[in-house]
């Protein structure tokens, strides 16, 4: 199979799994809300790969697929009554709570996926490609830029209303404490640290466990039930 077809096949596989998941979940389910968001991001990455907008399409595709696989593995774990990573547990536990709004579900999923999964996906991709994290920085930044643009769209779509009402809404104050840009910066630092620790597996595992727990705590705060 030519390299270009291999790239397409990998991204198409994760897209198919996300679409299949979307078809099985109620629209209001918290995992379904995040899945719609992530499907849109992955479709945009796929379009940009097809349009040749990544300087290194093989690296971009590898990072995108390894990233998506970590989310899908968490979904599989929850579906088979195994424990998903701590960063994902709040979303699975609170996915049907009537007091949690769709925007909270979307951003809690983004927090789990960016704050924990992306750092590990960078390491996964470097190992698969035989490169250093610095060689993936452009692809990391491009994917991050797509997520930031999408986050702005999500906030507008899922939290409509006049600005004055938004200021008074408790959701505005809850979400004002979280920033995707800051999360992305922390993730890049975590990825580089994990790469540097790869020769010390016990230390790397301890670092990963603490990262997982911290991101899970933030996700739980983002899912605080709010009065209408």
């Amino acid at each position: 199979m030519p390299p270009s077809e291999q790239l397409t096949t990998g991204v198409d596989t994760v897209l198919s799994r996300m679409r299949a998941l979307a078809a099985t979940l109620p629209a209001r389910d918290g995992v379904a809300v995040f899945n719609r968001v992530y499907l849109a991001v992955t479709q945009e990455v796929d379009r940009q790969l097809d349009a040749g907008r990544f300087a290194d399409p093989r690296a971009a595709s590898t990072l995108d697929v390894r990233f998506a696989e970590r989310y899908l593995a968490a979904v599989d774990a929850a579906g088979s009554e195994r424990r998903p990573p701590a960063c994902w547990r709040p979303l699975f536990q609170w996915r049907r709570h009537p007091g949690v709004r769709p925007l909270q579900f979307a951003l809690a999923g983004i927090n789990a996926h960016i704050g924990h999964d992306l750092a590990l996906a960078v390491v996964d991709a470097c190992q698969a490609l035989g490169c250093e994290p610095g060689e993936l920085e452009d692809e990391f930044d491009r994917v991050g830029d797509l997520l930031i643009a999408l986050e702005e769209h999500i906030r507008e779509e899922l939290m409509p209303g006049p600005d004055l009402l938004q200021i008074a809404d408790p959701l505005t104050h809850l979400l004002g404490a979280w920033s995707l840009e800051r999360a992305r910066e922390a993730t890049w630092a975590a990825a580089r640290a994990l790469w540097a620790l790869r020769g010390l597996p016990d230390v790397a595992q301890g670092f990963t466990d603490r990262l997982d727990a911290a991101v899970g705590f933030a996700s739980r705060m983002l899912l605080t039930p709010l009065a209408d």
Side-chain angles (χ1 to χ4, degrees):
M1 182 182 294
S4 59
E5 292 184 19
Q6 292 176 0
L7 300 183
T8 302
T9 300
V11 177
D12 284 350
T13 297
V14 296
L15 283 170
S16 294
R17 292 186 64 192
M18 289 180 205
R19 291 181 182 122
L21 179 62
T24 66
L25 296 175
R28 184 61 176 76
D29 182 280
V31 176
V33 174
F34 171 72
N35 191 74
R36 288 195 295 274
V37 170
Y38 194 32
L39 176 58
V41 172
T42 308
Q43 288 172 330
E44 182 58 28
V45 171
D46 191 37
R47 283 192 288 269
Q48 295 205 14
L49 282 167
D50 289 343
R53 293 179 182 168
F54 285 96
D56 187 340
R58 178 169 176 258
S61 176
T62 300
L63 178 60
D64 185 58
V65 170
R66 296 304 175 99
F67 188 30
E69 286 173 342
R70 287 194 169 271
Y71 157 63
L72 294 168
V75 171
D76 289 345
S80 60
E81 299 185 353
R82 291 179 286 113
R83 283 170 67 83
C87 61
W88 285 107
R89 286 176 211 154
L91 182 59
F92 291 117
Q93 291 167 353
W94 292 76
R95 62 195 292 178
R96 297 181 181 90
H97 195 292
V100 179
R101 302 185 196 178
L103 177 58
Q104 293 173 263
F105 289 132
L107 294 186
I110 291 173
N111 177 67
H113 204 35
I114 295 293
H116 173 266
D117 293 355
L118 185 53
L120 274 63
V122 169
V123 174
D124 292 343
C126 286
Q127 291 173 336
L129 295 165
C131 69
E132 298 282 327
E135 297 173 64
L136 290 182
E137 190 167 7
D138 288 345
E139 287 70 30
F140 178 94
D141 287 341
R142 175 63 66 87
V143 172
D145 290 343
L146 290 174
L147 285 162
I148 286 173
L150 185 62
E151 185 210 14
E152 293 171 357
H153 174 71
I154 292 166
R155 286 178 183 264
E156 293 173 1
E157 180 179 340
L158 298 182
M159 197 170 82
D163 289 343
L164 288 177
L165 292 180
Q166 291 186 20
I167 290 172
D169 193 317
L171 182 59
T172 302
H173 299 281
L174 176 66
L175 300 179
W178 184 82
S179 162
L180 177 56
E181 182 60 42
R182 290 197 299 270
R184 185 174 72 164
E185 291 172 358
T187 293
W188 183 245
R192 292 176 65 90
L194 283 169
W195 185 253
L197 292 171
R198 66 191 184 281
L200 300 169
D202 290 344
V203 178
Q205 187 60 55
F207 182 94
T208 300
D209 291 345
R210 285 166 177 76
L211 176 66
D212 190 19
V215 173
F217 179 77
S219 288
R220 176 63 189 86
M221 294 301 100
L222 286 169
L223 293 171
T224 299
L226 302 173
D228 291 331

